[in-house]
Amino acid sequence: MKTGLFFIALLPFAAIAQSKQDTTIKSKRPLQEVVVSAGSFEASDRAKGASLTPIDAVTVAGSNADISQALRSLPGAQQIGEQSGLFVRGGTGDETRQFIDGTLLKTPNYPAVPGVPQYARINPFLFKGILFSSGGYSALYGSAMSSALIMESTDLPEKTSASFSVFPANLGAGFQHLAQNNKSSYGVNLNYSNQSLYNSVVPQVPDYFAGPAYADGNFNFRIRTGKTGMLKLYSNWSYSDVGMRKPDIDSAALNAGYQVRGWNSYNNLSFRSYLNNNWKMDLGAVYSYNREATANSLTDAKGNTAVSSLPYKTGNRTIRTDFAQARVVFTRFFSKGQALRFGGEHFYTRDKGMSNDSALALTDHLSAAFAEGDIYLAPNLAAKAGVRMEYASVLRKLVVAPRLSIAYRLPDASQFNLAYGIFYQEPANDFLYRYRDLNFSSATHYVLNYTKKANNRFFRAELYYKKYHHLVKTTPTLSNNGNGYAQGLELFWRDKKSVKDLDYWITYTYLDTKRNYLDYPYALRPSFTAPHTTTVAVKKFFREISTNVNVSWALAAGRPYYHINTHGITDQGTTKAYNIANLHIAYLCSFFKNRKWKDFSGFAMGVNNLFGTKQVFGYQYSANGQLREPVTLPATRGYFIGVFMSFGIDRTDDFLNNNL
Amino acid sequence: MKKLFICVLLVVVGYYSGMAQSGALQQAVNKLDQAQTVKDYQVLEKTFAGISEQPAWLPPYYAALCNAKIGFLLQDDGEKIEPFADRGETLAKQALSLLDSTTQKKELAEVYTVLSMVYRTKVFINPMTYGRKYGVLSGQMLQKALALEPGNPRALYVSAWVKYYTPRMWGGDKEQAKKLATESLQKLGNPGTDVYPHWGRADDQQLLAKIK
């Protein structure tokens, strides 16, 4: 568990609040009878009944304060235990993009480490709205073939406050200051995480020689301007160092080492304001800097550097990425909840680096213009139609992506939704370093969805078909000759009513997908997809003992694995089923009864993979393909225990509003 | 025997006074004293909303109370509460607008108590998202009611309810809830069946039975 501050957000489970009124600016958008919602889960701070709130979405046990891990408990996402990111409907992790206040969050997680998912950089409690689209999302967003995670940061906090958390591997402190006139605020948070002590108690495979250590500092400033304006600045600075070693699969006498260090700065500036009763303007700008230095090494038993005939076994690589984006969106409101949105954005990416002795460089300008209308057709029928144009300088290609969704409301207040859209994405930079004559990859989505929400219960079923075009192939040569499809059925059921103070949801995901991409000799079911997945999330608040118990369970059928070399597939099979349960318990209390210093505090503890089942995500092969070893969890179980505290506030979920 | 006599007397007096000035209102209030289900309150809410008798603030007050009661009965039903809560809020505000803030403090205390209950039912829609705003508003309305009339037994009952259902770490206190409900019950004494707000006995007793 990266941040203890995460737990402070458990506190608002109480029904009765005693704080000041909220300081958010009310949306002027009129209420609509039908809300177009195909393909997405929306978690909003205005949720009613069994609709998701941001807290519901991110407090799933085992999520490690990472929004993309938390959302794995929703249908459409795969249970990928060996890397970060969100794998949606037959798509890779790269096909999901995260957006904060309209702009792209390019590197949401700390630099990747093979076989071990890395923490998210940004606390998921900074958001008052989270829209997880697993298909058919709005024309306002692009550059993601499978899924968009659209997050809206909180506005002003409710009060001035300070907080601390102490978990043996993680320390956190922060404060937030709200101006007397309730018009502006600023805050600073610091987190430091070092797993080495923990790892000496709970042995890990591989063996870490550096860290894992993560440090981040962030500050925010927000100010209301005029009657409806809100200007927000969020800046996050982080550093990480992870170095690990394990026996080399090709040479019994040697150890293979991997070390990655990362430096990152993420800066988001956004402004929104109504221009008059009918016009709204949203501006966003982001600049991020990311530097990653990785080193592969081989050492003998004495720790001396060894050499290998396999060149990829040793070497260094450093990449520095500067990324900037500017965006403007205008909204014109019309009667009956109709609206027209249009705008444009520009993405600038510059990569510069070295891989051993060869230089890597890439500069890309991606420009986009978009327009989208919310159209009222009848009291029970609404549509959202849009189009998006993108031009990428590195590809020298222009693409046009139409998007359409329709919602039809039935008399019993349940709803049918249909969505269609084309979604383009540039090939990953690693391919563009080598070869520029590539094209956009694309996916065409068709989604049919049914939802019914009533009496604190929520049922949702979704059918979809997705066709991939121009996926990147690496064999025989680098090209866009790949393709694929994905289709499936997803079910979601949430019930907050049946048992008092108990909230649970159950999901089922069926996925049929094949793709011919990278080095696949022909269309195969990708190794990151399981045909069947079921997840259960249960939360129970025991009022009498102020204790919150949170359980999550995920079960997925085995995933395929392949060993592919120039001769084709030399080994393949299906892993054993994935089965993992996580348990988190938080006890909430006050240490200081003195009224002036009233605190909201608690103890939290948790176990991930409670039953200690052995998980196999796939296999790593030796160079000759004759040996293989399973890719599994670094330790059978994960544990955490700690204490968190929040001072000087009436209500502790201020932390939700503390950043961004 | 004496009780029966008083009852008969009250019914007779009530009947005549009802005939004299507030027939429909008195009848509806009598029915309200017996109401138990969502259906009962829904029917009564319509009845009250359609009455135009003096004192003018009472029909919207009672209609708002019906909506609040429905909200409490549906407290595990989330969004289903919303239309009732919205109507309750409008009606309670309408009742407020019909009262004089300098001379009718007791009446205002009654309406603020009901408004506090209406806001409480908004919290039930989704505590996590609605609690922040409406929990606070509910508390403020209750404080207003108690400031206007410190011993108002219905405001005391709502305070007791809040103390009982708030988790301890946010200031919930069952002992305090018991004290408040007992005090409310004492203050109520024998409230009669007049059109002026007199409800609360059954609510106090129900809450006290839970605390035991």
Side-chain angles (χ1 to χ4, degrees):
Chain A
M1 178 52 59
K2 184 176 160 248
T3 50
L5 298 187
F6 184 84
F7 280 95
I8 290 162
L10 291 174
L11 296 170
F13 275 97
I16 291 97
Q18 290 147 2
S19 68
K20 280 196 271 180
Q21 287 182 43
D22 67 335
T23 46
T24 52
I25 295 169
K26 294 286 165 296
S27 162
K28 284 194 180 173
R29 200 167 157 218
L31 289 171
Q32 243 179 303
E33 270 221 321
V34 222
V35 179
V36 180
S37 69
S40 65
F41 270 94
E42 187 177 12
S44 154
D45 67 342
R46 292 189 284 273
K48 295 168 195 170
S51 297
L52 293 172
T53 68
I55 298 169
D56 296 333
V58 302
T59 54
V60 175
S63 67
N64 275 325
D66 181 346
I67 180 93
S68 57
Q69 294 222 28
L71 296 178
R72 287 174 187 180
S73 71
L74 294 180
Q78 291 292 305
Q79 306 299 315
I80 303 296
E82 74 280 22
Q83 52 180 307
S84 315
L86 203 48
F87 293 69
V88 178
R89 292 186 174 169
T92 65
D94 282 342
E95 293 174 30
T96 299
R97 288 286 163 88
Q98 299 187 20
F99 300 91
I100 297 177
D101 295 332
T103 49
L104 181 66
L105 173 62
K106 202 171 167 64
T107 44
N109 292 78
Y110 283 99
V113 172
V116 188
Q118 296 296 300
Y119 292 132
R121 296 181 201 273
I122 291 182
N123 187 332
F125 283 106
L126 312 185
F127 306 110
K128 64 175 181 176
I130 298 166
L131 186 98
F132 169 42
S133 169
S134 43
Y137 61 86
S138 149
L140 269 57
Y141 299 91
S143 302
M145 272 194 289
S146 282
S147 164
L149 198 51
I150 298 161
M151 297 174 285
E152 191 186 352
S153 67
T154 51
D155 295 336
L156 294 171
E158 292 185 339
K159 253 201 138 169
T160 295
S161 63
S163 63
F164 309 90
S165 67
V166 180
F167 287 66
N170 302 285
L171 304 171
F175 82 93
Q176 188 69 40
H177 181 267
L178 177 66
Q180 291 281 330
N181 63 6
N182 282 355
K183 292 223 170 211
S184 66
S185 72
Y186 63 88
V188 175
N189 293 286
L190 297 169
N191 295 294
Y192 177 70
S193 166
N194 193 322
Q195 311 288 319
S196 52
L197 177 69
Y198 173 85
N199 290 349
S200 65
V201 180
V202 183
Q204 311 276 310
V205 179
D207 187 30
Y208 290 97
F209 63 83
Y214 310 86
D216 93 83
N218 62 69
F219 80 91
N220 63 72
F221 174 71
R222 297 165 210 154
I223 185 164
R224 284 170 91 159
T225 59
K227 266 193 183 144
T228 60
M230 173 62 76
L231 178 80
K232 295 189 268 193
L233 171 71
Y234 174 82
S235 179
N236 182 304
W237 300 72
S238 59
Y239 168 76
S240 66
D241 184 6
V242 182
M244 62 188 204
R245 203 174 272 136
K246 61 180 182 182
D248 183 38
I249 191 163
D250 290 295
S251 44
L254 301 179
N255 280 319
Y258 179 88
Q259 183 171 22
V260 58
R261 286 180 300 155
W263 297 260
N264 184 280
S265 167
Y266 168 78
N267 307 279
N268 183 325
L269 182 68
S270 70
F271 175 72
R272 66 164 198 269
S273 180
Y274 283 86
L275 303 174
N276 61 33
N277 274 338
N278 295 322
W279 283 93
K280 186 185 173 213
M281 178 175 72
D282 286 275
L283 304 176
V286 65
Y287 167 71
S288 66
Y289 163 87
N290 190 57
R291 187 152 72 91
E292 292 180 22
T294 48
N296 284 292
S297 61
L298 281 174
T299 47
D300 63 19
K302 290 177 187 154
N304 298 319
T305 305
V307 286
S308 163
S309 55
L310 302 161
Y312 62 85
K313 291 263 168 180
T314 55
N316 297 303
R317 178 178 146 129
T318 307
I319 289 281
R320 173 200 161 131
T321 303
D322 291 278
F323 170 75
Q325 182 192 352
R327 172 183 167 98
V328 53
V329 184
F330 290 98
T331 307
R332 168 75 163 95
F333 297 98
F334 297 97
S335 63
K336 293 177 176 164
Q338 301 186 104
L340 174 69
R341 277 176 286 277
F342 60 92
E345 57 189 334
H346 188 86
F347 302 74
Y348 164 78
T349 312
R350 193 187 66 165
D351 280 16
K352 245 182 128 81
M354 293 290 284
S355 179
N356 295 327
D357 294 330
S358 44
L360 306 173
L362 176 74
T363 303
D364 184 31
H365 291 270
L366 181 87
S367 310
F370 45 81
E372 177 185 82
D374 291 348
I375 306 155
Y376 169 97
L377 299 165
N380 55 357
L381 190 63
K384 197 188 271 283
V387 63
R388 181 180 177 90
M389 267 189 337
E390 289 181 353
Y391 176 80
S393 72
V394 69
L395 305 175
R396 281 168 288 137
K397 300 266 174 8
L398 175 81
V399 288
V400 178
R403 315 274 168 90
L404 175 70
S405 44
I406 294 170
Y408 176 71
R409 194 179 162 100
L410 294 151
D412 69 346
S414 65
Q415 197 171 303
F416 275 107
N417 297 283
L418 265 172
Y420 159 81
I422 302 181
F423 301 83
Y424 289 96
Q425 185 164 354
E426 291 175 272
N429 290 0
D430 272 310
F431 304 119
L432 293 169
Y433 296 149
R434 288 154 54 190
Y435 188 64
R436 298 285 157 86
D437 199 11
L438 289 171
N439 211 330
F440 279 97
S441 300
S442 73
T444 308
H445 299 185
Y446 304 87
V447 181
L448 170 65
N449 148 311
Y450 172 80
T451 55
K452 173 149 189 175
K453 295 175 195 173
N455 306 353
N456 266 342
R457 294 187 179 117
F458 179 7
F459 173 73
R460 178 187 190 267
E462 193 157 294
L463 268 169
Y464 68 91
Y465 176 75
K466 177 156 93 177
K467 182 98 183 110
Y468 283 102
H469 306 275
H470 306 301
L471 293 175
V472 172
K473 288 278 300 168
T474 52
T475 53
T477 54
L478 198 55
S479 72
N480 277 106
N481 294 338
N483 57 47
Y485 74 90
Q487 58 192 8
L489 167 71
E490 292 160 8
L491 303 172
F492 176 83
W493 167 252
R494 184 182 188 196
D495 179 359
K496 285 168 70 184
K497 180 183 161 85
S498 299
V499 183
K500 185 96 181 154
D501 289 335
L502 178 90
D503 169 14
Y504 71 88
W505 71 65
I506 300 174
T507 77
Y508 169 72
T509 299
Y510 169 72
L511 169 63
D512 169 24
T513 181
K514 274 187 180 172
R515 58 165 59 195
N516 180 1
Y517 88 134
L518 302 183
D519 57 352
Y520 284 15
Y522 45 87
L524 296 171
R525 168 176 272 281
S527 56
F528 47 83
T529 62
H532 307 279
T533 306
T534 285
T535 65
V536 180
V538 185
K539 293 166 192 172
K540 168 103 178 132
F541 183 58
F542 295 91
R543 279 167 194 265
E544 297 299 319
I545 50 171
S546 298
T547 298
N548 190 70
V549 177
N550 198 337
V551 178
S552 73
W553 179 61
L555 182 64
R559 283 155 48 180
Y561 61 85
Y562 309 99
H563 181 251
I564 299 169
N565 63 18
T566 47
H567 307 296
I569 299 173
T570 59
D571 186 25
Q572 64 177 311
T574 304
T575 65
K576 58 185 288 199
Y578 174 82
N579 176 6
I580 204 159
N582 305 314
L583 168 72
H584 290 185
I585 297 171
Y587 169 71
L588 314 175
C589 60
S590 291
F591 295 124
F592 305 94
K593 301 293 182 197
N594 181 324
R595 202 177 164 77
K596 197 176 169 190
W597 281 100
K598 181 133 177 89
D599 64 312
F600 290 91
S601 306
F603 296 94
M605 58 150 291
V607 184
N608 293 340
N609 194 12
L610 187 62
F611 302 115
T613 49
K614 190 167 159 54
Q615 316 292 344
V616 176
F617 304 119
Y619 291 90
Q620 193 205 353
Y621 288 84
S622 61
N624 60 15
Q626 310 215 317
L627 293 170
R628 69 174 202 199
E629 59 188 33
V631 177
T632 182
L633 292 171
T636 309
R637 291 183 181 83
Y639 308 89
F640 66 85
I641 186 160
V643 59
F644 53 92
M645 227 187 266
S646 163
F647 275 104
I649 43 176
D650 298 321
R651 249 167 78 74
T652 345
D653 71 338
D654 285 25
F655 275 93
L656 314 192
N657 307 328
N658 266 2
N659 304 64
L660 275 164
Chain B
M1 197 60 208
K2 196 173 158 192
K3 253 190 191 159
L4 182 71
F5 176 72
I6 291 170
C7 281
V8 169
L9 190 71
L10 279 174
V11 168
V12 170
V13 169
Y15 178 74
Y16 280 106
S17 65
M19 287 292 277
Q21 44 174 320
S22 54
L25 184 60
Q26 182 66 60
Q27 268 182 19
V29 170
N30 292 348
K31 273 191 193 147
L32 182 65
D33 289 341
Q34 309 299 322
Q36 267 171 348
T37 64
V38 171
K39 191 113 209 238
D40 294 346
Y41 287 111
Q42 268 179 300
V43 171
L44 277 166
E45 196 255 5
K46 286 214 175 67
T47 311
F48 280 117
I51 293 174
S52 55
E53 279 177 34
Q54 291 299 324
W57 69 280
L58 278 178
Y61 163 86
Y62 276 115
L65 176 64
C66 290
N67 281 305
K69 288 280 188 185
I70 292 168
F72 274 79
L73 289 169
L74 295 179
Q75 60 178 283
D76 296 323
D77 283 315
E79 63 273 51
K80 202 172 175 182
I81 298 163
E82 195 171 32
F84 300 104
D86 286 347
R87 214 157 49 238
E89 186 180 356
T90 313
L91 287 158
K93 285 184 174 163
Q94 189 191 333
L96 283 180
S97 70
L98 295 166
L99 289 168
D100 185 310
S101 60
T102 49
T103 58
Q104 295 182 291
K105 292 210 165 123
K106 288 195 169 181
E107 289 83 348
L108 282 168
E110 298 294 350
V111 185
Y112 279 120
T113 303
V114 166
L115 190 54
S116 167
M117 292 167 75
V118 168
Y119 284 141
R120 184 65 54 201
T121 67
K122 287 207 172 192
V123 175
F124 301 146
I125 293 169
N126 187 330
M128 207 113 55
T129 51
Y130 281 62
R132 166 179 310 190
K133 181 173 177 189
Y134 292 105
V136 176
L137 273 175
S138 175
Q140 287 172 348
M141 295 305 119
L142 191 58
Q143 275 166 13
K144 250 187 190 168
L146 284 166
L148 286 161
E149 190 194 350
N152 182 304
R154 282 159 292 282
L156 287 175
Y157 158 71
V158 178
S159 309
W161 189 95
V162 171
K163 281 283 171 203
Y164 179 78
Y165 284 102
T166 305
R168 206 177 47 220
M169 67 165 303
W170 282 278
D173 185 339
K174 301 222 156 125
E175 277 308 300
Q176 190 68 20
K178 191 174 177 178
K179 249 167 93 180
L180 286 163
T182 312
E183 193 187 339
S184 165
L185 207 53
Q186 278 169 0
K187 289 250 158 77
L188 278 165
N190 194 341
T193 57
D194 193 10
V195 292
Y196 194 84
H198 58 258
W199 60 271
R201 248 187 110 88
D203 307 82
D204 278 326
Q205 283 163 346
Q206 242 173 46
L207 191 63
L208 284 169
K210 271 192 191 139
I211 298 171
K212 217 171 16 186

